[in-house]
Amino acid sequence: MQDLTIGDELWEYMRRVTLREPDILRRLREETARLPNSNLQISAEQGQFMALLMHLIGARRTIEIGVYTGYSALVVAQALPDDGRVIACDINEEWTAVGRRYWREAGVDRKIDLRIGRALSTLDELIASGQGNRFDFVFIDADKTNYANYYERALVLLRPGGLIAVDNVLWYGRVIDASFDDPDTRAIRVFNEQLKGDDRVWLSMLPVRDGLTLACKKL
Ligand code: SAM
Ligand code: CA
């Protein structure tokens, strides 16, 4: 049997009976909505789900690859204990400056270590400085052609039992639409197929928003 199709009304119902978006996240989302690229941001529901994941795995040290205006970093930082840390990687000063304002207002700026520069370099520096096997969670949500590279580095940086979440793995449905053959779509297709056969992780792909893959590093 096929899964239930979630139409607008059922979606509205789900939001009404579960969504608890704090005021500061709602205001950040509303400010981001005025930007031309606002669809880069995760949804409020996905944010709430990620916060739940942080509590489930008892996350303390996390990495975010792709920050934009800082919504997902804020969600994660708020879900971490006082001594928790997010290493937040992005190349864009202007977008992340929006996030910095809200992180400060929320009182979690000391938990977020923003690293401006190519995320691959930041991850390689972390590995080179002996940070392997030390992180609980990595969120991959930056340039799609590097997904496989980010994933390999994440596996080195995570402790056994640590979790990787990979966003946009359904790529607006283009993964199954043969009329799309651009580098991003091809990279996501190859990445998804590779993960299926990767027995270093426990794996699940969820139809959350644009598709979210969870991969847990085996013990
Ligand atoms: N996770 C964010 C959220 O939900 O609010 C959205 C992130 S957005 C989809 C992708 C981000 O990746 C952009 O802010 C972009 O500047 C950044 N990015 C693109 N290429 C990058 C690279 N090579 N290294 C680091 N960041 C990169
Ligand atoms: Ca995304």
Side-chain angles (χ1 to χ4, degrees), residues 37-84:
N37 302 311
S38 61
N39 68 328
L40 292 177
Q41 186 181 67
I42 59 164
S43 65
E45 297 86 330
Q46 183 172 343
Q48 188 169 319
F49 177 63
M50 286 172 59
L52 174 68
L53 288 178
M54 295 309 98
H55 292 294
L56 277 174
I57 65 170
R60 213 171 62 76
R61 291 169 54 93
T62 75
I63 300 175
E64 168 153 303
I65 306 170
V67 176
Y68 186 44
T69 58
Y71 189 99
S72 47
L74 180 51
V75 160
V76 168
Q78 287 186 312
L80 300 182
D82 279 350
D83 63 348

Side-chain angles (χ1 to χ4, degrees), residues 40 141 167-168:
L40 292 177
D141 190 20
D167 204 27
N168 303 99

Side-chain angles (χ1 to χ4, degrees), residues 112-130:
I112 304 176
D113 176 358
L114 178 63
R115 309 267 181 105
I116 297 291
R118 290 175 56 248
L120 266 189
S121 311
T122 304
L123 299 176
D124 283 339
E125 282 160 21
L126 289 172
I127 293 169
S129 64

Side-chain angles (χ1 to χ4, degrees), residues 149-211:
N149 293 324
Y150 295 144
Y151 174 80
E152 285 304 322
R153 271 117 179 127
L155 276 180
V156 175
L157 289 162
L158 281 180
R159 63 163 166 87
L163 186 68
I164 305 176
V166 190
D167 204 27
N168 303 99
V169 288
L170 296 176
W171 206 224
Y172 306 98
R174 290 174 203 155
V175 283
I176 56 161
D177 184 340
S179 66
F180 286 92
D181 193 34
D182 56 283
D184 287 348
T185 307
R186 280 204 305 269
I188 292 179
R189 284 184 191 131
V190 170
F191 176 73
N192 287 338
E193 299 283 346
Q194 278 174 351
L195 248 62
K196 183 168 186 207
D198 186 346
D199 57 13
R200 295 172 295 176
V201 295
W202 290 294
L203 184 68
S204 182
M205 186 191 280
L206 304 172
V208 171
R209 201 164 181 246
D210 189 27

Side-chain angles (χ1 to χ4, degrees), residues 207-218:
V208 171
R209 201 164 181 246
D210 189 27
L212 184 71
T213 285
L214 298 181
C216 179
K217 181 173 168 178
K218 286 186 178 173

